[in-house]
């Protein structure tokens, strides 16, 4: 009831919402953020720092429920508020996350050039702020995947190779395995089967060891592409059947 705690209360709503989102309870996550927004709307105090976080969180939920225009609007609102903030450095991570997510939406809606620019902004910020190495890995991976979809295989390979040393030094084994798999995909795109096999040999054991379902499905899909190109249809079918089993297991 004491207004001096409203800022912290709004942040608490954001934290609860994130917890719901991670449990895939998106409706509850959205309702919780709306509760936080009501406090901002009904009071004249400056809650811009809380609104930066709330807007970014809202954008992520809108993205998940595929309301892409609303998501981009929320991410841009968050970025605009950061520009007006007196403490720009307090929001570096949120700024990076907004650029990555805007890039993701533009990629999903086939605006690849715009997506690349957004990822490049995120990468530029991670270059200036070395502590966000995980975001650096993610933004480079996403940029590489976008370039791959644009059939710019050499550029994608260059991006993956740039982020490999970071992964080896401070990234997880799961990240490292996935980047090798992405490299193998890009080599396959340009029919470089020797480097495809080399990258696959390095990445496949790490992805299998990590056992992250999405990465396992990605791995199977790339291997299927290779077997289909080589007319080894039985091997491809076995991998597709394995992917169906993984998808059923993890719903």
């Amino acid at each position: 009831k004491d207004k001096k705690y409203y800022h912290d209360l709004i942040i608490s709503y954001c934290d609860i919402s994130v917890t719901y989102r991670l449990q895939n309870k998106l409706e509850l996550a959205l309702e919780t953020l709306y509760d936080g927004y009501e406090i901002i709307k009904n009071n004249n105090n400056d809650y811009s720092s809380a609104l930066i976080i709330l807007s970014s969180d809202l954008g992520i939920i809108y993205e998940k429920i595929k309301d892409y225009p609303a998501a981009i609007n929320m991410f841009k609102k968050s970025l605009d508020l950061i520009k007006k903030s007196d403490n720009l450095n307090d929001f570096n991570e949120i700024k990076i996350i907004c650029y990555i997510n805007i890039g993701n939406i533009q990629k999903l809606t086939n605006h690849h050039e715009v997506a690349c620019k957004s990822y490049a902004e995120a990468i530029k910020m991670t270059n200036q702020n070395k502590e966000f190495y995980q975001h650096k890995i993610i933004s480079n991976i996403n940029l590489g995947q976008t370039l791959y979809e644009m059939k710019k295989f050499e550029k994608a390979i260059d991006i993956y190779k740039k982020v490999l040393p970071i992964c080896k030094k401070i990234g997880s084994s799961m990240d490292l395995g996935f980047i090798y798999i992405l490299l193998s995909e890009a080599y396959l795109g340009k029919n470089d089967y020797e480097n495809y096999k080399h990258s696959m040999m390095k990445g496949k054991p790490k992805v299998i060891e990590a056992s992250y379902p999405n990465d396992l499905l990605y791995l199977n899909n790339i291997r299927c592409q290779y077997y289909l190109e080589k007319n080894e249809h039985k091997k491809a079918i076995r991998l597709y059947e394995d992917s169906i089993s993984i998808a059923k297991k993890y719903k």
Side-chain angles (χ1 to χ4, degrees), residues 120 123 126-127 133 136-141 143-144 147 154-170 176 179-180 183 187:
I123 291 165
T126 60
N127 290 339
Y133 68 88
K136 186 183 184 76
I137 292 168
I138 291 166
S139 49
N140 274 284
I141 284 174
L143 176 58
L147 290 165
E154 283 293 348
K155 285 188 176 181
I157 289 164
D158 287 343
I159 292 291
Y160 297 142
K161 282 185 175 178
K162 278 180 187 174
V163 83
L164 261 179
I166 301 162
C167 251
K168 287 176 180 175
K169 188 177 178 182
I170 46 182
L176 185 58
I179 288 174
Y180 274 122
L183 261 172
Y187 283 124

Side-chain angles (χ1 to χ4, degrees), residues 107-216:
K107 181 185 166 199
L108 282 167
T109 52
N110 295 318
H111 299 118
H112 293 116
E113 295 285 355
V114 185
C116 287
K117 286 178 183 175
S118 197
Y119 293 137
E121 283 295 326
I123 291 165
K124 185 168 79 175
M125 285 207 66
T126 60
N127 290 339
Q128 294 164 356
N129 301 272
K130 304 295 183 186
E131 67 271 28
F132 301 122
Y133 68 88
Q134 191 61 41
H135 297 316
K136 186 183 184 76
I137 292 168
I138 291 166
S139 49
N140 274 284
I141 284 174
N142 290 3
L143 176 58
Q145 286 180 300
T146 309
L147 290 165
Y148 171 84
E149 287 186 15
M150 296 167 75
K151 300 193 185 305
K152 295 182 178 181
F153 304 125
E154 283 293 348
K155 285 188 176 181
I157 289 164
D158 287 343
I159 292 291
Y160 297 142
K161 282 185 175 178
K162 278 180 187 174
V163 83
L164 261 179
I166 301 162
C167 251
K168 287 176 180 175
K169 188 177 178 182
I170 46 182
S172 68
S173 178
M174 183 173 78
D175 287 334
L176 185 58
F178 189 58
I179 288 174
Y180 274 122
I181 292 304
L182 290 171
L183 261 172
S184 69
E185 180 183 44
Y187 283 124
L188 188 60
K190 59 190 293 251
N191 299 320
D192 183 346
Y193 298 118
E194 187 178 339
N195 277 313
Y196 160 81
K197 288 177 183 176
H198 179 72
S199 299
M200 181 60 71
M201 184 177 65
K202 288 193 170 186
K204 181 183 159 188
K206 293 182 183 299
V207 170
I208 290 170
E209 185 185 355
S211 294
Y212 180 55
N214 285 359
D215 290 359
L216 290 171

Side-chain angles (χ1 to χ4, degrees), residues 18-241:
V18 169
T19 309
Y20 280 137
R21 173 165 57 79
L22 292 173
Q23 296 173 327
N24 213 32
K25 297 176 180 176
L26 299 180
E27 194 172 322
L28 282 170
L30 206 53
E31 286 174 9
T32 307
L33 285 179
Y34 288 157
D35 289 340
Y37 186 70
E38 280 297 309
I39 297 169
I40 297 171
K41 195 171 74 172
N42 295 331
N43 292 275
N44 295 321
N45 291 41
D46 180 18
Y47 298 116
S48 58
S49 61
L51 186 56
I52 286 167
I53 296 165
L54 191 143
S55 298
S56 175
D57 287 348
L58 261 176
I60 293 168
I61 295 172
Y62 285 141
E63 183 182 345
K64 282 190 171 292
I65 62 175
K66 295 182 170 56
D67 188 344
Y68 297 137
I72 286 180
N73 186 47
M74 284 296 114
F75 292 133
K76 285 184 175 177
K77 183 174 185 176
S78 189
L79 288 170
D80 286 342
L81 287 166
I82 291 169
K83 282 178 189 174
K84 295 171 186 173
S85 171
D86 295 328
N87 303 305
L88 282 172
N89 290 333
D90 290 350
F91 302 106
N92 282 333
E93 186 173 19
I94 292 175
K95 197 172 177 182
I96 293 165
I97 288 167
C98 285
Y99 279 126
I100 290 172
N101 282 302
I102 289 170
N104 291 345
I105 294 168
Q106 299 292 5
K107 181 185 166 199
L108 282 167
T109 52
N110 295 318
H111 299 118
H112 293 116
E113 295 285 355
V114 185
C116 287
K117 286 178 183 175
S118 197
Y119 293 137
E121 283 295 326
I123 291 165
K124 185 168 79 175
M125 285 207 66
T126 60
N127 290 339
Q128 294 164 356
N129 301 272
K130 304 295 183 186
E131 67 271 28
F132 301 122
Y133 68 88
Q134 191 61 41
H135 297 316
K136 186 183 184 76
I137 292 168
I138 291 166
S139 49
N140 274 284
I141 284 174
N142 290 3
L143 176 58
Q145 286 180 300
T146 309
L147 290 165
Y148 171 84
E149 287 186 15
M150 296 167 75
K151 300 193 185 305
K152 295 182 178 181
F153 304 125
E154 283 293 348
K155 285 188 176 181
I157 289 164
D158 287 343
I159 292 291
Y160 297 142
K161 282 185 175 178
K162 278 180 187 174
V163 83
L164 261 179
I166 301 162
C167 251
K168 287 176 180 175
K169 188 177 178 182
I170 46 182
S172 68
S173 178
M174 183 173 78
D175 287 334
L176 185 58
F178 189 58
I179 288 174
Y180 274 122
I181 292 304
L182 290 171
L183 261 172
S184 69
E185 180 183 44
Y187 283 124
L188 188 60
K190 59 190 293 251
N191 299 320
D192 183 346
Y193 298 118
E194 187 178 339
N195 277 313
Y196 160 81
K197 288 177 183 176
H198 179 72
S199 299
M200 181 60 71
M201 184 177 65
K202 288 193 170 186
K204 181 183 159 188
K206 293 182 183 299
V207 170
I208 290 170
E209 185 185 355
S211 294
Y212 180 55
N214 285 359
D215 290 359
L216 290 171
L217 293 172
Y218 207 100
L219 169 65
N220 281 356
N221 190 45
I222 295 167
R223 292 176 68 203
C224 282
Q225 288 177 48
Y226 172 76
Y227 288 133
L228 289 170
E229 284 188 22
K230 294 295 183 181
N231 291 319
E232 297 182 39
H233 298 122
K234 286 184 179 179
K235 288 182 180 179
I237 288 167
R238 279 199 295 272
L239 285 170
Y240 282 132
E241 287 172 344

